[in-house]
Amino acid sequence: MFSAYPRLATTFGLVLGFAAAYAEQGFIQLSTYPTVSVADGRSTTAVYAEVRDPSGRAVPDGTEVLFSTTLGTFRESLVKTINGRAYATLVSGGTAGIAKITASAIGASVTPSVLEFEFVADRKMLSSALEYVEIVAPSYMHYTVDSRQISASGANHGVSLRYRDVEIEADDLQLDVPTYEVRARNAKLKVGKESHVYSQLYYRLNLRRGYGTTTFKAPRWTTLAPVGRGLQFATIDVDGAAIPARNEDRFGLAQIVAGEPKPTTETVSNNLFELADLSDSPSTISARKVVVFPQKGVQFQKADMYIGGRKVMSMPLYELTMSGQTSPIATDQLVSVFDNQLAINYPYYLSLRPGQTSLLRFHTGDRYNRGVGSSGGAFLDYELNWNHGDDVDGNLTFSGIGRSDWMLSAHQYTRWGERTQAVLQGELLANRTFFGNASLSRQFEGFQASLSSSHTETLRGIKTSTQQDSLVIEKDPIKMGKLPVQLYYGLTSNSTRSTFGSQSGSGVQLRAQSSAIPFNKTTSLTSSLTLAKLYGSSNNPGLTILGSTALSHRFGNSANTVLSYDFTRDGLNDAVLGEHRLSLSGSLFYGNTNLTLYTTRGLDKDRFALYGDLSYRLGGLWRTGVSYTLDKYQGESYLDYTFVLGYRVGWRDIGLTWSYRTKRIGFQLLGASF
């Protein structure tokens, strides 16, 4: 419940007064399922673009949405909306990394959207998205929103942590969520059947390695004694005879591999075991029980939220999402103000536990797009999420309850053993449109097979339907001698059937993928090339060629850039985006300056996009910044740039904004919540 009701009411009154003259913008909300994929050149991911006008209504049917990505390829880059939704299939490339997926609405006054999507190098790394850490502390536990650390205390091993087969009981414990690092005092560490007590403990949960001070078995050596033609460590008995060294109990620093302490000769700094001072954190959440999904969010039971050391809100159940979380204030995900508009995102949790979460969510004024504006419309959603270890993950959502543009969606990921996995998903939009997608992959002895299928159909009005199917059978990679290249070859088949026509083709595919080729310690190059020859009624009766190369360079610890070139000739996407494309992305974090930049240009098509964000802190209180968005395609363009002047009050920024599109000054509370 809220504290300080009169002050809260006054604050909300001021906020609503400023919000009366809000400036809404149309938006594109991008989402994917699954949320991470493998860079194997075969796996597919469904990408969803929800496009709404400034009032929150779905844009007219047939609005064209242009998709692009810096890694992988889309089966179709230009897709038309149905009931405000556009669906595209992303096929992974051969390079691991973070892809920037962009979507823009052609001919509509809607801000483009950018989403980061991760391609991992190995299928085993997918399980990290489903891992969770459970911590219980009956007396004290706090989570710091800015540094993402959990600190807990409980006498007589009162703090309990569980992660897979790892259990830790301690008097004092800290967990650094992004790095999986645990520091503890008077701790009992159990990994599988191995169990040991440490007076001080440092342990990386995901690596199952660390250091600790404990009693362990170690050989006691006093001298070197000759044995045969060599020497070995030994002790000397009373008669001067050499006795082989024996294991004895010793107390000291030990290296922990899995759960077993072993002698170490490494030098370890005392700072490794020190618990961080988190008292200066601007915002914390206190709870009796916390469940951490390191890649997703943190769940709290009996949560009390503190700002500046004062409790401002209590909730019996609460989940703080990590994706895109940049503000150090705990309640920012609930209420905030963007360019004179009040944005609310309030979840009421029905259940919250590892394996299952259900809630009702009320949200309005959501900010999905770039710039400082927010979208309009009010929504009430029901969400049910479930996962069971590494093998099952899914969700069911009924969004827009009571609205004419409601949507029912379901997603399910299932894995059978280490070799087989499947993804099923479906969406029903206002009983007007159905979209379904399924994929199945299987690792056999010496080769892999991937099958994917998607179907879109209108249920009312003008009847249209589209069915896409794809099959890839590929041999396990072949190492090309001493070259840093792996070669894949196999069979591929694609089929598309729609109301307006059909095409299909089957043939052979050859793919080459290089590992990172270092030029020096800061510069490396990666490349991939796919050649396919399809026979049948394909859009491209010739040779399909997909090529990509990326040059990355790191400027010390403060800046990095990636320059990439992509070549596409598939008879479909090259007609939309062209065959040749250059892209550049980079970031700079140096002193008081923060800069992120992404730009792409088609070399043989009228396609150019530039997204940039620059901020500079003037001393400790003032901050200035600019956000720039330019998206051009075939004569159509979207341009907006926004200037921000912010003044820090405590841990919040109060700002004035000016937008090129609105041509007016706006009021903004950046990172302020109530």
Side-chain angles (χ1 to χ4, degrees), residues 1-244:
M1 60 187 299
F2 288 101
S3 62
Y5 288 102
R7 183 179 61 180
L8 182 66
T10 302
T11 304
F12 263 106
L14 291 172
V15 171
L16 291 173
F18 285 117
Y22 63 82
E24 296 173 340
Q25 297 182 13
F27 72 90
I28 300 176
Q29 181 187 7
L30 275 174
S31 59
T32 66
Y33 193 85
T35 56
V36 62
S37 187
V38 185
D40 58 6
R42 302 177 302 273
S43 297
T44 60
T45 301
V47 180
Y48 309 87
E50 181 181 356
V51 189
R52 294 186 177 273
D53 64 19
S55 65
R57 294 188 296 265
V59 296
D61 287 355
T63 300
E64 291 183 317
V65 178
L66 181 65
F67 292 91
S68 66
T69 177
T70 56
L71 293 177
T73 57
F74 280 100
R75 283 186 180 164
E76 286 185 285
S77 295
L78 197 62
V79 183
K80 295 182 178 180
T81 62
I82 303 176
N83 205 34
R85 299 275 284 185
Y87 305 95
T89 301
L90 175 64
V91 182
S92 69
T95 304
I98 302 296
K100 288 187 179 295
I101 300 174
T102 62
S104 54
I106 307 301
S109 183
V110 175
T111 309
S113 183
V114 181
L115 175 69
E116 290 189 345
F117 181 84
E118 184 177 8
F119 288 105
V120 296
D122 194 298
R123 190 167 299 277
K124 295 180 180 179
M125 298 175 65
L126 291 176
S127 62
S128 63
L130 306 177
E131 296 175 347
Y132 65 85
V133 182
E134 181 181 74
I135 305 176
V136 177
S139 58
Y140 165 87
M141 180 159 51
H142 282 286
Y143 172 80
T144 58
V145 181
D146 57 340
S147 59
R148 297 182 180 179
Q149 295 195 63
I150 296 174
S151 181
S153 296
N156 301 319
H157 292 170
V159 182
S160 174
L161 179 148
R162 296 176 182 272
Y163 169 80
R164 294 181 176 267
D165 61 339
V166 178
E167 298 179 20
I168 300 176
E169 296 177 352
D171 289 358
D172 301 290
L173 181 144
Q174 283 188 355
L175 170 67
D176 190 308
V177 173
T179 63
Y180 291 81
E181 292 177 287
V182 173
R183 292 172 173 84
R185 295 172 179 165
N186 191 21
K188 179 181 178 181
L189 171 65
K190 182 180 179 182
V191 182
K193 296 181 180 180
E194 288 283 342
S195 179
H196 297 273
V197 177
Y198 300 86
S199 57
Q200 296 184 95
L201 174 67
Y202 168 84
Y203 195 71
R204 290 286 295 272
L205 294 174
N206 56 336
L207 301 179
R208 286 171 171 73
R209 303 178 72 91
Y211 298 92
T213 53
T214 185
T215 300
F216 55 93
K217 295 288 187 181
R220 184 177 182 86
W221 297 315
T222 60
T223 187
L224 283 171
V227 176
R229 295 183 178 180
L231 298 172
Q232 74 171 20
F233 283 102
T235 58
I236 305 298
D237 64 11
V238 293
D239 298 323
I243 303 174

Side-chain angles (χ1 to χ4, degrees), residues 27 54 76 79 114 122 216 218 241 260 289 340 353 355 358-359 384 425 437 457 530 554 584 601 667:
F27 72 90
E76 286 185 285
V79 183
V114 181
D122 194 298
F216 55 93
E260 183 180 358
K289 181 179 179 180
N340 294 351
R353 61 179 185 269
S358 63
L359 67 142
L384 174 65
Q425 47 205 308
N437 186 75
E457 183 172 355
T530 299
R554 187 178 72 254
L584 175 68
R601 173 182 287 277
F667 181 80

Side-chain angles (χ1 to χ4, degrees), residues 341-382:
Q341 183 178 357
L342 178 68
I344 300 173
N345 183 2
Y346 184 83
Y348 179 77
Y349 289 90
L350 305 174
S351 67
L352 186 64
R353 61 179 185 269
Q356 181 175 307
T357 302
S358 63
L359 67 142
L360 290 170
R361 185 187 303 276
F362 174 76
H363 56 106
T364 181
D366 301 284
R367 186 190 184 194
Y368 297 114
N369 45 267
R370 294 176 48 77
V372 297
S374 298
S375 65
F379 302 83
L380 178 64
D381 304 339
Y382 170 77

Side-chain angles (χ1 to χ4, degrees), residues 33-34 42-46 48 75 89 410-412 421-426 434-441 450-455 467-471:
Y33 193 85
R42 302 177 302 273
S43 297
T44 60
T45 301
Y48 309 87
R75 283 186 180 164
T89 301
H411 306 84
Q412 176 69 48
Q421 64 177 5
V423 175
L424 299 173
Q425 47 205 308
F434 170 78
F435 169 78
N437 186 75
S439 64
L440 175 67
S441 63
S450 300
L451 174 66
S452 64
S453 178
S454 64
H455 181 81
Q467 175 76 35
Q468 292 183 325
D469 302 294
S470 174
L471 172 65

Side-chain angles (χ1 to χ4, degrees), residues 274-546:
E274 289 184 2
L275 302 183
D277 182 6
L278 306 178
S279 59
D280 292 335
S281 178
S283 180
T284 60
I285 301 177
S286 175
R288 293 293 183 89
K289 181 179 179 180
V290 172
V291 179
V292 182
F293 294 85
Q295 307 299 327
K296 295 182 179 180
V298 186
Q299 298 177 352
F300 304 90
Q301 293 189 10
K302 296 183 179 180
D304 295 326
M305 302 182 188
Y306 293 83
I307 298 178
R310 302 185 63 179
K311 186 167 75 171
V312 297
M313 181 181 290
S314 295
M315 298 180 71
L317 301 171
Y318 182 64
E319 181 173 28
L320 184 72
T321 60
M322 290 183 179
S323 177
Q325 174 71 16
T326 57
S327 172
I329 307 300
T331 51
D332 274 13
Q333 295 186 10
L334 302 178
V335 183
S336 55
V337 175
F338 294 103
D339 197 26
N340 294 351
Q341 183 178 357
L342 178 68
I344 300 173
N345 183 2
Y346 184 83
Y348 179 77
Y349 289 90
L350 305 174
S351 67
L352 186 64
R353 61 179 185 269
Q356 181 175 307
T357 302
S358 63
L359 67 142
L360 290 170
R361 185 187 303 276
F362 174 76
H363 56 106
T364 181
D366 301 284
R367 186 190 184 194
Y368 297 114
N369 45 267
R370 294 176 48 77
V372 297
S374 298
S375 65
F379 302 83
L380 178 64
D381 304 339
Y382 170 77
E383 302 173 16
L384 174 65
N385 305 279
W386 59 86
N387 70 74
H388 303 287
D390 300 339
D391 300 327
V392 176
D393 182 69
N395 59 73
L396 173 68
T397 303
F398 183 16
S399 61
I401 298 174
R403 293 176 58 101
S404 60
D405 56 354
W406 57 267
M407 181 181 69
L408 181 65
S409 63
H411 306 84
Q412 176 69 48
Y413 165 87
T414 305
R415 187 180 71 167
W416 296 278
E418 295 291 335
R419 295 191 170 193
T420 307
Q421 64 177 5
V423 175
L424 299 173
Q425 47 205 308
E427 291 192 350
L428 179 63
L429 283 74
N431 208 28
R432 291 182 53 197
T433 308
F434 170 78
F435 169 78
N437 186 75
S439 64
L440 175 67
S441 63
R442 168 74 177 178
Q443 173 70 56
F444 297 92
E445 292 295 335
F447 69 96
Q448 302 178 57
S450 300
L451 174 66
S452 64
S453 178
S454 64
H455 181 81
T456 305
E457 183 172 355
T458 57
L459 306 178
R460 291 190 300 175
I462 300 176
K463 299 286 183 157
T464 62
S465 66
T466 301
Q467 175 76 35
Q468 292 183 325
D469 302 294
S470 174
L471 172 65
V472 177
I473 301 175
E474 196 171 61
K475 192 181 185 305
D476 287 349
I478 302 172
K479 192 72 172 63
M480 301 299 293
K482 295 183 179 181
L483 296 176
V485 178
Q486 289 185 318
L487 190 66
Y488 304 77
Y489 65 87
L491 304 175
T492 182
S493 178
N494 299 286
S495 173
T496 300
R497 300 182 300 277
S498 71
T499 306
F500 310 102
S502 62
Q503 60 170 340
S504 61
S506 300
V508 295
Q509 177 175 291
L510 177 67
R511 182 164 61 93
Q513 173 64 46
S514 77
S515 56
I517 304 172
F519 294 108
N520 50 49
K521 293 182 179 180
T522 60
T523 308
S524 63
L525 179 73
T526 57
S527 299
S528 65
L529 177 65
T530 299
L531 305 176
K533 175 62 177 178
L534 301 181
Y535 301 89
S537 56
S538 172
N539 273 341
N540 184 23
L543 189 66
T544 295
I545 305 175
L546 303 175

